[in-house]
Amino acid sequence: MKINKELYSIALVSTVLFFVYSILISSVASAAQVTRIGNGSDHAIYGNKVVWTSGGVIHLYDLTSKTGTTVSSSAASHPAIYGNKLVWHDKSSGVPRLTVYDIPSGARSYITQDVGNYSFPAIYGNRIVWSANYNESSYNYSIYMRDISTSTQACIAQGENPEIYDTKIVYSATGRNLRDIFMYDITTKKIELISPYSSDLSNPHMYGNKVIWSNFYTRSGFIQMYDLVAKKAIDVTSDNTGNTLYGSDTVDAGDDTGTHIDINDDKVVYSKSGDDQFGYAGVYVYDIPSAKSTPVYIYPRGTHTTPDIYNDTIVWGIDSSYGGVNDTGIYICDLSVTNTLPPVAEFTANTTYGAAPLVVLFTDTSTDGVPTSWFWDFGDGIYSKHAMNATHTFTKPGNYSISLTVGNDAGNNKVMKPNYIVVTNPLPVANFSSNVTHGYPPLSIQFTDLSQNAIGWNWDFGDGSNSTQRSPVHEYADPGIYSVNLTATNENGTDSRLTTITVMQLVGVGPYAYITNSGDDNVSVIDTTTNKVTAMIPVGNYPMGVAVTLDGKKVYVTNFFSRTISVIDATKNKVTATIPLENSPRGVAVSPDGKRVYVPHHEVGNPSNNTILIIDTATNEVEATVLVGEVPFGVAVTLDGKKVYVTNLYDKTVSVIDTATNTVIATIPVGDDPRGVAISPDGKKVYVIDGGGISIIDTATNTVTATVDVESSFYGIVVNPTGTKVYVAGTKAYATGTHNGFVSVIDTATNKVTATIPVGNSPSGVAVIPDGSKVYVANLLSDNVSVIDTSTNKVTATMNVGRGPISFGQFIGSLQAQPIFPVANFSSNVTEGYAPLTVQFTDLSENVAQGLGFQ
């Protein structure tokens, strides 16, 4: 945090910083000795032993001898420990199982019955508990307990996240409102509801007569504790108390302590990921008798730690899925031993020279004692506190001296590097955007300059026209592909940026909508100009996905139960080929040039067979496969054909594939069960239907930058041709059996739902015709298609089709509009003769835009 971001005077800033820094030092003055014992994740602690995994290998560390060993293992995760027994989730055999390991003898046994991909064990004595086998009707897993001394196993309850202590098992399950906490008594075999009426409770842990859990009412949750004797629950951490440190934009930042918790004896440990009046981000311990929290180790804001505790020893790592610091270390802290060694300050920078604005990442590399506080002075009047690693932007040219002061309870140390950062006058960086990248003539385009450090602009629009305006408007009169170049200048130099504008021409007839009728095993063809069904095409068993080539000549249909793809010749309304697959396909997409078809191909429980099949449309053969996340579902291709986006249902991610290399170049976390996916015409945004509504991905950073709450959406999502609206098919009150369908209209400028349009029951597919004037919706349980007028957001027509229409994908063919690509051709007046031979070459090429030239 930059203390003087409001540009107060230097004297006032110095006073404030001294005060805040004093508070910071005092807040960790009682911190105990912190030691790094390894690298990895999934740690656990019992007695004098700590266990964790790294690269699928089990690591075991003895706190007494301060030595570490590895246990022969692979594909191991989520180990648990009790006494001399280890148990972990194991996929080394290709199928999930639990491995039970005796530390002294090295003997192993395996639990294979009722173990799933997410069966993460807990152990107490000879009893092991876990959850598996999700129940679609109860929204719960089953909880299993195995007594390894008798090799007996039983299903004891419906729920998940089980934790065992003595003869009690606590777990979360669907109860009165979302999730509740229950307790199972092994002796009496009775189940007791122990949580008060609340909202979304999870992650229970138990010690003695105390049970703690996370209440995820808002943000990252807060911690509650229940006394089994007093039959009373209390709040351990803040339950949505307003944040007085950063203002109204984070008023509920008190709810940031529920992501990882543990309890032992009279102490609760937890991770705090935000900064507020209750403390900074870091590892905390809560003393139950005094009801007070104390920081153990401070981290930068946004870091999610994973603390566990046994007696006075706390062990933690970093949950990198949330971001924060880039650190894979496993750390321990003995609360009974204080720091005896002060740190020796040292740091590095990712760059020390460059043009303003220069962004520099400073990384703490201090040695000796582990620091618990950091104070950076960037030499330009700006400071940063309690940030282990700090990112700072130098906005003005100059030489800057950087200092870092680190401290722990044993002392402080400072290092100063004079003139360490050299910032020069900036060169121009050319950049611009356009409101559209393709369309029909006459096509008027607003170009917006986004250049940095520029004082002059020179535009070449590729059609013989130029402009020196900063953000000009230009109109293209003729079809073609035009290269637009911006040259930005200042007194230090020039820089250029190039992009392509495609002006399309109107050809052919249509467009047509292709509706997959899953109950009739056929496809209904709708002429969108008349809203009449013009053909019924037999395909495979239970057709779902549809993809139409850009020229409208071919339609690809995935048949779920047939495990095939039907290839339809749209000019004849006839299946001309059937492509066999190994497993049941859902989504499908075709490249803009029509040369490749992308099909998600999954096998539950076999990660190596969750792929995208890339089919060559010339041969109808699979030419390549790309490994993606577990159960790939929906797929979409960018308009330029360079990237493919795949939703992975079980992994809660989206895979990004580079079509030039057929490799995954990014994996983006999104919400639960991502399904439908659509891409904006300019390729800058990707819209994903998941369990939380609509996740909006910025393709430049491959991160979710916004979410939109829509009710019960399943498959259908599409962006209109101008990129201004997103249409999402959904169902209201699905749990009551009414299946009332609707289409949500999202304004892409505000990411707000601007209209909700009633359609048929359980709409599954949604698509827009090329001119954006109408939206077609396939209603699964109404056996019909709704037509929406986008100017009024009202249904203007409804037509009956076959049973169970789905049409998952882009099911409307763009026959009315096709990009015009150049076709090279030429002639010569002679083809042979005696030297010296003069030949007249005459260009006969088609669709070459003015200004592009010939080679």
Side-chain angles (χ1 to χ4, degrees):
M1 173 185 157
K2 298 178 180 178
I3 299 299
N4 68 340
K5 66 180 181 178
E6 299 298 333
L7 300 179
Y8 294 137
S9 69
I10 296 298
L12 179 57
V13 169
S14 301
T15 302
V16 172
L17 287 171
F18 178 79
F19 173 73
V20 174
Y21 185 52
S22 299
I23 294 176
L24 173 65
I25 294 299
S26 65
S27 69
V28 293
S30 60
Q33 179 70 51
V34 176
T35 305
R36 181 171 182 155
I37 61 173
N39 291 284
S41 59
D42 299 338
H43 53 77
I45 181 173
Y46 186 88
N48 68 335
K49 295 181 178 64
V50 179
V51 63
W52 67 87
T53 64
S54 178
V57 176
I58 297 291
H59 291 253
L60 188 63
Y61 186 85
D62 191 300
L63 296 172
T64 304
S65 64
K66 294 181 174 54
T67 58
T69 59
T70 59
V71 178
S72 177
S73 54
S74 65
S77 68
H78 298 85
I81 183 171
Y82 185 92
N84 284 320
K85 288 287 191 298
L86 288 179
V87 59
W88 64 81
H89 187 268
D90 184 350
K91 293 190 72 173
S92 60
S93 64
V95 294
R97 61 183 178 178
L98 301 181
T99 298
V100 183
Y101 180 82
D102 183 77
I103 296 174
S105 68
R108 302 172 189 242
S109 61
Y110 301 97
I111 303 172
T112 58
Q113 180 182 356
D114 296 313
V115 176
N117 289 324
Y118 303 102
S119 298
F120 305 142
I123 184 172
Y124 189 97
N126 288 315
R127 296 186 177 104
I128 300 172
V129 294
W130 70 92
S131 62
N133 301 327
Y134 184 72
N135 189 317
E136 293 285 351
S137 60
S138 67
Y139 306 106
N140 283 312
Y141 288 86
S142 294
I143 295 179
Y144 297 89
M145 180 181 70
R146 185 176 183 89
D147 191 323
I148 56 178
S149 64
T150 61
S151 298
T152 57
Q153 181 172 318
C155 177
I156 62 171
Q158 294 287 305
E160 57 188 324
N161 303 319
E163 176 88 353
I164 183 171
Y165 180 85
D166 197 14
T167 59
K168 302 290 192 299
I169 298 172
V170 290
Y171 58 93
S172 64
T174 299
R176 298 161 298 184
N177 187 14
L178 294 180
R179 308 294 287 179
D180 280 312
I181 303 298
F182 296 84
M183 183 175 68
Y184 175 84
D185 191 305
I186 298 173
T187 303
T188 64
K189 295 181 171 58
K190 291 183 178 180
I191 295 175
E192 178 184 355
L193 172 66
I194 63 174
S195 58
Y197 188 82
S198 189
S199 56
D200 192 4
L201 312 180
S202 188
N203 302 344
H205 293 266
M206 182 177 180
Y207 186 90
N209 65 343
K210 300 288 193 304
V211 181
I212 61 172
W213 60 78
S214 299
N215 187 324
F216 291 103
Y217 177 68
T218 55
R219 297 179 71 89
S220 297
F222 60 96
I223 306 169
Q224 293 179 303
M225 181 172 64
Y226 184 79
D227 190 310
L228 296 174
V229 177
K231 306 291 184 183
K232 180 182 179 181
I234 64 169
D235 293 342
V236 172
T237 58
S238 168
D239 61 341
N240 201 29
T241 301
N243 187 338
T244 63
L245 190 57
Y246 291 110
S248 59
D249 61 327
T250 51
V251 292
D252 59 345
D255 295 5
D256 62 2
T257 58
T259 54
H260 201 291
I261 60 176
D262 195 21
I263 183 173
N264 187 269
D265 199 12
D266 59 357
K267 297 181 181 66
V268 175
V269 290
Y270 60 92
S271 168
K272 186 172 179 59
S273 59
D275 296 346
D276 52 33
Q277 67 270 32
F278 306 107
Y280 299 118
V283 177
Y284 282 74
V285 59
Y286 174 85
D287 181 71
I288 296 175
S290 65
K292 292 183 178 180
S293 287
T294 303
V296 176
Y297 200 86
I298 300 300
Y299 278 100
R301 184 180 179 188
T303 303
H304 288 250
T305 52
T306 57
D308 293 328
I309 187 171
Y310 188 89
N311 290 339
D312 284 325
T313 303
I314 300 173
V315 58
W316 73 86
I318 308 295
D319 189 343
S320 60
S321 63
Y322 289 94
V325 299
N326 183 20
D327 187 353
T328 60
I330 301 294
Y331 295 89
I332 61 169
C333 173
D334 188 340
L335 298 176
S336 65
V337 179
T338 59
N339 268 325
T340 59
L341 189 65
V344 176
E346 186 53 76
F347 66 89
T348 61
N350 64 333
T351 183
T352 60
Y353 180 90
L358 181 64
V359 180
V360 181
L361 170 63
F362 295 97
T363 301
D364 169 48
T365 58
S366 301
T367 58
D368 289 357
V370 177
T372 56
S373 66
W374 299 262
F375 189 83
W376 298 87
D377 183 343
F378 301 117
D380 58 357
I382 299 178
Y383 308 83
S384 177
K385 61 179 178 57
H386 71 271
M388 177 189 301
N389 304 316
T391 299
H392 183 65
T393 301
F394 296 89
T395 60
K396 297 179 180 180
N399 295 347
Y400 296 94
S401 298
I402 312 299
S403 71
L404 169 64
T405 302
V406 293
N408 59 26
D409 61 309
N412 302 320
N413 186 250
K414 178 179 179 179
V415 61
M416 164 74 78
K417 297 188 179 183
N419 300 319
Y420 185 61
I421 301 296
V422 178
V423 183
T424 64
N425 284 314
L427 293 168
V429 179
N431 192 16
F432 66 93
S433 66
S434 62
N435 59 333
V436 295
T437 59
H438 63 283
Y440 310 111
L443 180 62
S444 180
I445 300 182
Q446 171 68 65
F447 294 98
T448 302
D449 171 60
L450 302 174
S451 303
Q452 300 177 22
N453 314 316
I455 59 174
W457 302 267
N458 189 355
W459 297 84
D460 182 348
F461 300 114
D463 59 355
S465 301
N466 301 86
S467 175
T468 57
Q469 296 180 24
R470 180 171 184 177
S471 297
V473 175
H474 183 68
E475 183 175 286
Y476 291 92
D478 300 314
I481 301 175
Y482 300 93
S483 293
V484 179
N485 184 76
L486 168 62
T487 300
T489 62
N490 68 12
E491 64 274 12
N492 297 316
T494 65
D495 187 45
S496 296
R497 174 71 182 272
L498 186 71
T499 193
T500 299
I501 299 295
T502 301
V503 183
M504 301 178 292
Q505 70 179 10
L506 298 177
V507 296
V509 294
Y512 292 94
Y514 298 86
I515 308 300
T516 54
N517 301 308
S518 63
D520 291 332
D521 298 340
N522 60 24
V523 173
S524 296
V525 183
I526 299 173
D527 185 346
T528 61
T529 60
T530 62
N531 286 335
K532 300 294 185 182
V533 176
T534 60
M536 299 286 283
I537 308 171
V539 289
N541 190 357
Y542 205 87
M544 289 186 63
V546 184
V548 186
T549 57
L550 193 61
D551 62 8
K553 294 180 180 180
K554 285 187 179 180
V555 181
Y556 294 85
V557 175
T558 59
N559 305 301
F560 186 81
F561 291 128
S562 294
R563 299 182 177 183
T564 60
I565 297 176
S566 297
V567 184
I568 298 173
D569 183 340
T571 64
K572 301 176 181 179
N573 284 333
K574 181 180 179 180
V575 174
T576 58
T578 300
I579 305 172
L581 304 175
E582 292 182 0
N583 291 304
S584 301
R586 292 187 177 95
V588 61
V590 62
S591 62
D593 61 8
K595 295 181 178 180
R596 302 289 182 269
V597 171
Y598 299 88
V599 184
H601 193 254
H602 75 278
E603 182 178 351
V604 177
N606 186 2
S608 65
N609 203 18
N610 286 274
T611 60
I612 291 296
L613 304 182
I614 304 175
I615 298 172
D616 184 341
T617 58
T619 63
N620 288 330
E621 297 287 341
V622 175
E623 67 174 14
T625 61
V626 181
L627 183 66
V628 291
E630 190 164 4
V631 187
F633 198 97
V635 59
V637 187
T638 56
L639 193 61
D640 61 8
K642 293 181 179 180
K643 293 180 182 179
V644 175
Y645 290 81
V646 183
T647 60
N648 301 308
L649 188 69
Y650 284 9
D651 274 359
K652 306 177 185 178
T653 61
V654 171
S655 298
V656 185
I657 299 173
D658 181 349
T659 60
T661 60
N662 289 335
T663 57
V664 173
I665 59 175
T667 301
I668 308 169
V670 291
D672 293 339
D673 304 323
R675 299 173 295 278
V677 57
I679 306 171
S680 63
D682 61 9
K684 294 181 179 180
K685 301 293 181 184
V686 175
Y687 300 83
V688 177
I689 295 177
D690 56 42
I694 306 299
S695 292
I696 303 175
I697 297 171
D698 182 345
T699 59
T701 61
N702 286 329
T703 58
V704 174
T705 57
T707 58
V708 182
D709 186 18
V710 294
E711 185 176 356
S712 299
S713 299
F714 295 107
Y715 307 113
I717 184 168
V718 69
V719 185
N720 70 352
T722 59
T724 58
K725 304 292 181 185
V726 178
Y727 297 88
V728 185
T731 299
K732 291 181 180 291
Y734 182 80
T736 66
T738 59
H739 309 285
N740 296 328
F742 66 96
V743 169
S744 296
V745 183
I746 300 172
D747 185 337
T748 60
T750 62
N751 291 333
K752 301 292 185 183
V753 174
T754 58
T756 302
I757 308 167
V759 291
N761 289 342
S762 290
S764 295
V766 57
V768 186
I769 66 173
D771 67 5
S773 63
K774 291 189 289 187
V775 173
Y776 285 71
V777 185
N779 302 309
L780 177 68
L781 298 184
S782 294
D783 299 339
N784 60 23
V785 172
S786 299
V787 183
I788 298 171
D789 184 338
T790 58
S791 64
T792 62
N793 285 334
K794 292 184 178 180
V795 173
T796 57
T798 302
M799 62 216 67
N800 294 326
V801 288
R803 294 180 299 167
I806 295 178
S807 287
F808 179 32
Q810 178 51 46
F811 59 83
I812 295 181
S814 302
L815 283 177
Q816 274 193 324
Q818 301 178 32
I820 304 302
F821 295 97
V823 179
N825 193 15
F826 68 95
S827 65
S828 62
N829 61 333
V830 294
T831 59
E832 60 181 7
Y834 298 105
L837 179 64
T838 301
V839 181
Q840 172 65 58
F841 293 98
T842 303
D843 171 62
L844 301 176
S845 301
E846 299 176 7
N847 307 324
V848 178
Q850 180 182 356
L852 290 185
F854 309 89
Q855 184 174 356

